[in-house]
Amino acid sequence: MTAEDYKNGQVLLIDKPLEWTSFQVVNKLRWHIRKRFDIKKIKVGHAGTLDPLATGLLIICTGKQTKNINEYQGQIKEYTGTITLGETTPSYDLETEVNETFPTEHITEELIHKTTKQFIGKIQQKPPIFSAIKKDGKRLYELARKGETTEIKSREITISEFEITNIRANKVDFRVVCSKGTYIRSLAYDFGLALNSGAHLSALRRTKIGNFSVSDGLSIDNFIKSLEVE
């Protein structure tokens, strides 16, 4: 590809590694594209944030394709991951330490499978306090890290599939297909409540956005190598 190809617009499928922010991935790719083609300025953006503790599909748009970011963001998404039962964290995932433990002796495999049915279809979900949603000009996670509490409104989301793929003691592996705006961390937390226990998200991978699949994605290193041979 040429500099003009990237300016006219490309859709890049990247398999985001653990602990990278989506913003860091965008910055890294932009820097290498500019360097490779000696471009002073080029638009690069992502179509839907992935938390640092999540891996998987990140759609990166360049040039004129950045106009289509909202369209890609609105498509249904598929995730796989692991929910740990019997423990909650303030962030609903591993970003924060376990703050409470709950009994799990009453939870059977049958109950786990049965409980997923409560979450299929259109449901109300409250985003986690540790999220990038803005309130009064500040992101919620900024308030949360200061120890400030704030009221968060529930929002309607759609979960079309919620499948349990494996159960290992208190670790529950799953696959979810859901609408834009779904927080899998909140789903994990709410799932724990529905089981009369507690839970948090201990692993997450985005596998699909619309018709785009992570199996077609490149690692950051492999994308950079592909630039060098162009």
Side-chain angles (χ1 to χ4, degrees), residues 1-163:
M1 276 192 277
T2 66
E4 284 308 306
D5 290 328
Y6 283 101
K7 287 179 179 177
N8 287 333
Q10 296 297 314
V11 176
L12 312 173
L13 306 183
I14 299 296
D15 187 348
K16 187 189 86 65
L18 194 66
E19 296 186 346
W20 281 61
T21 67
S22 303
F23 188 63
Q24 283 173 322
V25 176
V26 167
N27 276 351
K28 184 86 168 176
L29 268 56
R30 184 194 293 116
W31 189 87
H32 279 277
I33 291 168
R34 285 178 57 199
K35 183 187 173 192
R36 169 65 181 83
F37 298 106
D38 196 23
I39 306 170
K40 283 189 175 179
K41 197 173 180 183
I42 185 168
K43 284 186 179 178
V44 181
H46 66 76
T49 302
L50 263 183
D51 288 336
L53 293 177
T55 66
L57 183 59
L58 198 62
I59 295 179
I60 305 287
C61 296
T62 75
K64 293 175 183 175
Q65 273 289 347
T66 55
K67 294 175 182 175
N68 298 323
I69 279 176
N70 285 343
E71 179 192 330
Y72 297 132
Q73 280 180 329
Q75 296 183 10
I76 63 164
K77 298 172 180 72
E78 179 188 81
Y79 295 90
T80 60
T82 304
I83 296 170
T84 297
L85 304 178
E87 300 173 342
T88 57
T89 72
S91 60
Y92 300 173
D93 66 2
L94 294 176
E95 184 187 335
T96 52
E97 298 288 325
V98 170
N99 63 343
E100 278 190 88
T101 57
F102 299 84
T104 57
E105 294 80 11
H106 65 285
I107 301 175
T108 61
E109 291 196 8
E110 182 186 5
L111 180 62
I112 288 170
H113 285 282
K114 186 180 174 184
T115 303
T116 61
K117 296 187 174 101
Q118 296 180 29
F119 295 91
I120 303 292
K122 289 184 178 179
I123 63 169
Q124 292 294 316
Q125 184 187 74
K126 192 174 282 191
I129 181 68
F130 280 79
S131 66
I133 295 169
K134 281 189 174 181
K135 184 167 185 179
D136 301 328
K138 289 191 175 180
R139 298 202 181 274
L140 290 183
Y141 64 76
E142 293 173 350
L143 300 174
R145 284 170 185 158
K146 291 178 184 174
E148 296 178 27
T149 56
T150 184
E151 186 58 37
I152 306 171
K153 290 182 180 177
S154 296
R155 50 173 70 176
E156 186 178 87
I157 57 153
T158 302
I159 295 177
S160 47
E161 296 179 53
F162 186 7
E163 174 192 5

Side-chain angles (χ1 to χ4, degrees), residues 159-172:
I159 295 177
S160 47
E161 296 179 53
F162 186 7
E163 174 192 5
I164 303 301
T165 55
N166 195 21
I167 300 170
R168 302 161 284 124
N170 70 331
K171 305 282 185 185
V172 179

